Amino acid sequence: MEKSLKKYFPVFVLPTLIAFVIAFVIPFIMGIYLSFTKFTTVTDSKWVGIKNYVTAFSNKDFLHALIFTTYFAVISVVSINILAFLVAYFLTRGIKGSYFFRTLFFMPNLIGGIVLGYIWQVIFNGVLYRFDMTLTSNAQNGFWGLVILMNWQMIGYMMVIYIAGFQNIPRDLIDAAKVDGVTPLTAMRHVTLPLMMPSITINLFLTLTNSFKLFDQNLALTAGAPAKQTQMLALDIYNTFYSRMGWEGVGQAKAVIFFIIVAAISLTQLYLTRRKEVDA
Amino acid sequence: MNGENVIRRHTTVKNSVIFGILTVFSLIFVAPILIVFMNSFKDKLHISDTPFTFPTPETYVRLDNYITGIVNIGFINAFGWSLFITLSSVAVILLCTSMTAWYITRVKNKFNSLLYYILVFSMVVPFQMVMFTLSKFANILHLDNPLGIIVIYLGFGAGMSTFLFCGFIRSIPIEIEEAAMIDGCNAIQLYFRVIFAMLKPITITVAILNAMWIWNDYLLPYLLIGSDYKTIPIAIQYLQGGYGSIDMGAMMAMLVLAVIPIIVFYAICQKYIIEGVVAGAVKG
């Protein structure tokens, strides 16, 4: 069968391959090359070695964005996963209306980042107005605004994955623990949690990378204000490219660093948590 | 008997408490959307200072904000572009990547496995890495229009979609295909008559994940076609774009109009959406 299939390469693979080369392979390779050059359009590049990387790492905005994003990611990952886990736990106990609640909590995940950002901007500014503040009057407001928004958006998504995880736990294992007279808390720690590790792996991975890559919500909610203090990595890269003349090379160097960070997180996370998984 | 009753009553009480918590939680979840809805009927000057009150006779403006949103800001056009780009890109992605996935799963050679690994690798690359080079390159190739962007979506979405299709195809027994081949089908007939129907569950998953991504995508269409063709996210961001004050009334109306199609779509196929998202996440 392989042989008769082989000659159909142009029909089956070529369209995808061409699009993939245009949209990913060439831009990716060019991106790495250009990060070592000075350029304004992609055709007038001059080799400058690692100068762009030196500039990127001594750029205050970039370092601030890196710290800000890390803080944001840590707090969001923890809060989203704890809340989503609890909600999923409640919703798998056969309570009336579970299906309805599940459907409702998932809904914000479908709304795009730009729309979400402006929806929450109105709410936050309305609340902060009472205290004579706005969302962008200090960096704290923007930070917590982003955390709340991210929770609102991601809890439902993580919840459905946790629910699927809970539903895969064999009932008799929990019953066996009950018969043995184990307290609910111990059962949670020694039976449920280890069996939930695959879902926890996926969710930590998804929330962490999504938090690191956040762009639309950041742009719509604060756009980095005040004075770039709530600017996250993706937005900083964007602004380096498009609102700072002559900094395209530095922007590309920042983009490469950003890519390495995101890829490293994804791989480490997978490696670390996969080891803890237990087969049910 | 008595003991069991006590336990049962205990669980009922506990369940009511949980039910209460969940109800409060769901109110928090819908409140932001309801507040925006409420404000979309208010005069633009009264939205920022009193967003939590119902419209009063003096702040109520009927459908004026919606008229501004639809007539002046061009919501209908934006909706049309979003719909066109999303539907056509998803259709192209489904067709092309499922075919590619089947081919590279069934034909084993070095090129195909290399292609597979590069596709998987592309999934961990954030958009900012290729943002600048991709948009310049698309300009050079004249792909910066609503048709060209479909090619870009196919290329940038190929990684995840092919990966999901490949995972599913590996679980299909090859015997069915071999039998069809013996019956005289060529590969293309085999694919469209037999394989494509078998891929239905994963096709729904891939369709939903891509539709959610493309419908809500802001940066890629903004950079490629944003000045001439505004999708919904671009039109909304554009309201904020100019210096000076934003028309908060029109903003509220636009947000409501942007959320309504999503809620309708979700209400119709929420079962598939939730299953699709879970399947996509678990396999990805």
Side-chain angles (χ1 to χ4, degrees):
Chain A
M1 183 174 127
E2 254 195 72
K3 263 191 195 146
S4 52
L5 196 59
K6 228 170 177 172
K7 60 175 185 232
Y8 287 97
F9 178 82
V11 183
F12 281 87
V13 181
L14 213 54
T16 311
L17 183 62
I18 291 173
F20 184 59
V21 169
I22 291 174
F24 179 77
V25 179
I26 293 176
F28 182 78
I29 295 168
M30 251 164 62
I32 289 180
Y33 167 72
L34 287 175
S35 70
F36 296 102
T37 66
K38 187 170 172 53
F39 65 98
T40 46
T41 64
V42 289
T43 44
D44 64 348
S45 53
K46 248 191 257 120
W47 186 264
V48 294
I50 59 161
K51 195 166 153 253
N52 290 329
Y53 288 89
V54 176
T55 314
F57 276 118
S58 52
N59 179 235
K60 265 215 299 249
D61 292 342
F62 185 62
L63 296 176
H64 183 270
L66 183 62
I67 294 166
F68 186 86
T69 309
T70 311
Y71 258 121
F72 169 79
V74 170
I75 290 176
S76 303
V77 168
V78 172
S79 58
I80 291 169
N81 280 291
I82 290 176
L83 288 170
F85 191 90
L86 285 176
V87 173
Y89 180 69
F90 289 156
L91 289 182
T92 43
R93 318 204 72 206
I95 289 167
K96 248 195 317 188
S98 290
Y99 193 79
F100 170 78
F101 285 126
R102 189 181 82 148
T103 311
L104 190 78
F105 294 150
F106 183 77
M107 195 251 317
N109 184 53
L110 295 172
I111 304 173
I114 296 282
V115 176
L116 281 176
Y118 288 112
I119 290 177
W120 278 96
Q121 201 187 63
V122 183
I123 314 285
F124 288 136
N125 279 334
V127 173
L128 292 167
Y129 185 81
R130 316 256 150 124
F131 305 96
D132 272 328
M133 285 193 290
T134 67
L135 197 55
T136 52
S137 52
N138 62 55
Q140 288 294 314
N141 293 353
F143 179 82
W144 291 106
L146 280 166
V147 170
I148 292 170
L149 188 161
M150 193 68 174
N151 270 272
W152 190 67
Q153 182 177 20
M154 297 276 294
I155 283 175
Y157 184 6
M158 298 303 113
M159 172 203 74
V160 295
I161 299 172
Y162 282 131
I163 287 177
F166 277 120
Q167 283 166 347
N168 279 337
I169 297 178
R171 207 48 249 171
D172 43 326
L173 270 176
I174 310 276
D175 290 341
K178 262 188 202 152
V179 170
D180 288 349
V182 172
T183 64
L185 217 62
T186 325
M188 172 59 96
R189 220 186 114 205
H190 293 287
V191 183
T192 312
L193 268 184
L195 289 169
M196 285 295 283
M197 267 335 267
S199 315
I200 296 175
T201 310
I202 294 159
N203 283 356
L204 289 179
F205 169 74
L206 281 172
T207 35
L208 196 57
T209 44
N210 277 334
S211 306
F212 253 88
K213 293 197 287 192
L214 202 72
F215 178 84
D216 293 0
Q217 290 83 338
N218 192 198
L219 179 70
L221 196 68
T222 67
K228 297 184 176 176
Q229 281 184 54
T230 59
Q231 186 169 262
M232 296 177 61
L233 280 173
L235 188 58
D236 177 57
I237 293 168
Y238 176 83
N239 283 332
T240 312
F241 270 121
Y242 294 103
S243 44
R244 200 158 176 179
M245 289 288 281
W247 275 56
E248 289 84 357
V250 181
Q252 192 57 55
K254 287 181 180 181
V256 173
I257 299 166
F258 182 53
F259 151 64
I260 293 171
I261 294 172
V262 171
I265 291 171
S266 313
L267 298 176
T268 324
Q269 183 81 60
L270 276 180
Y271 175 75
L272 284 179
T273 24
R274 277 273 149 87
R275 285 194 313 190
K276 286 194 190 153
E277 286 174 17
V278 178
D279 283 320
Chain B
M1 197 59 190
N2 211 351
E4 206 168 86
N5 268 342
V6 170
I7 291 170
R8 194 166 294 158
R9 197 174 312 144
H10 185 66
T11 9
T12 329
V13 170
K14 223 163 85 183
N15 282 354
S16 326
V17 171
I18 293 173
F19 187 83
I21 294 172
L22 289 171
T23 310
V24 173
F25 207 61
S26 43
L27 287 177
I28 298 172
F29 259 71
V30 290
I33 293 171
L34 293 180
I35 290 168
V36 168
F37 183 69
M38 188 170 85
N39 280 289
S40 68
F41 297 99
K42 269 200 256 178
D43 183 76
K44 57 185 169 193
L45 301 172
H46 292 92
I47 291 170
S48 3
D49 51 358
T50 53
F52 304 120
T53 53
F54 281 102
T56 58
E58 59 182 273
T59 61
Y60 179 59
V61 293
R62 290 187 301 269
L63 292 173
D64 289 5
N65 292 327
Y66 288 89
I67 293 165
T68 316
I70 289 170
V71 178
N72 300 357
I73 300 157
F75 180 82
I76 304 285
N77 277 343
F79 181 80
W81 286 121
S82 280
L83 195 65
F84 170 75
I85 292 172
T86 307
L87 289 181
S88 46
S89 303
V90 170
V92 170
I93 288 175
L94 290 179
L95 182 68
C96 293
T97 61
S98 65
M99 290 174 84
T100 304
W102 183 59
Y103 185 93
I104 64 176
T105 311
R106 291 299 182 235
V107 179
K108 301 254 178 269
N109 60 34
K110 277 201 181 122
F111 178 82
N112 286 348
S113 56
L114 179 69
L115 177 61
Y116 177 76
Y117 284 116
I118 300 175
L119 283 165
V120 172
F121 167 76
S122 78
M123 289 164 65
V124 300
V125 177
F127 180 68
Q128 271 71 19
M129 174 64 206
V130 296
M131 170 179 72
F132 189 80
T133 45
L134 172 59
S135 52
K136 293 291 172 209
F137 195 47
N139 287 344
I140 294 170
L141 296 173
H142 300 293
L143 293 172
D144 46 357
N145 54 64
L147 283 176
I149 202 169
I150 297 171
V151 177
I152 304 296
Y153 273 126
L154 169 61
F156 208 72
M160 181 195 68
S161 307
T162 314
F163 173 74
L164 289 173
F165 276 121
C166 280
F168 189 85
I169 290 166
R170 273 190 221 113
S171 68
I172 300 178
I174 197 163
E175 287 74 18
I176 301 171
E177 297 165 27
E178 281 166 346
M181 280 287 205
I182 293 164
D183 289 345
C185 274
N186 69 32
I188 294 172
Q189 290 167 324
L190 170 64
Y191 181 79
F192 285 102
R193 290 190 192 158
V194 183
I195 310 295
F196 198 68
M198 290 198 292
L199 295 180
K200 199 179 153 201
I202 194 71
T203 304
I204 294 173
T205 300
V206 175
I208 284 163
L209 293 176
N210 281 302
M212 278 167 56
W213 164 47
I214 297 169
W215 180 267
N216 290 321
D217 197 17
Y218 164 74
L219 199 47
L220 178 63
Y222 172 73
L223 292 173
L224 257 56
I225 59 171
S227 42
D228 299 320
Y229 309 96
K230 292 183 177 54
T231 59
I232 294 174
I234 299 173
I236 287 173
Q237 178 62 22
Y238 196 75
L239 276 176
Q240 170 86 325
Y243 290 93
S245 61
I246 326 163
D247 182 344
M248 286 303 278
M251 177 64 101
M252 295 304 107
M254 290 287 274
L255 292 175
V256 172
L257 290 173
V259 170
I260 286 172
I262 297 175
I263 293 180
V264 171
F265 176 65
Y266 184 47
I268 297 168
C269 39
Q270 44 101 358
K271 183 170 156 271
Y272 291 112
I273 293 175
I274 293 182
E275 278 171 10
V277 167
V278 172
V282 172
K283 282 160 199 153

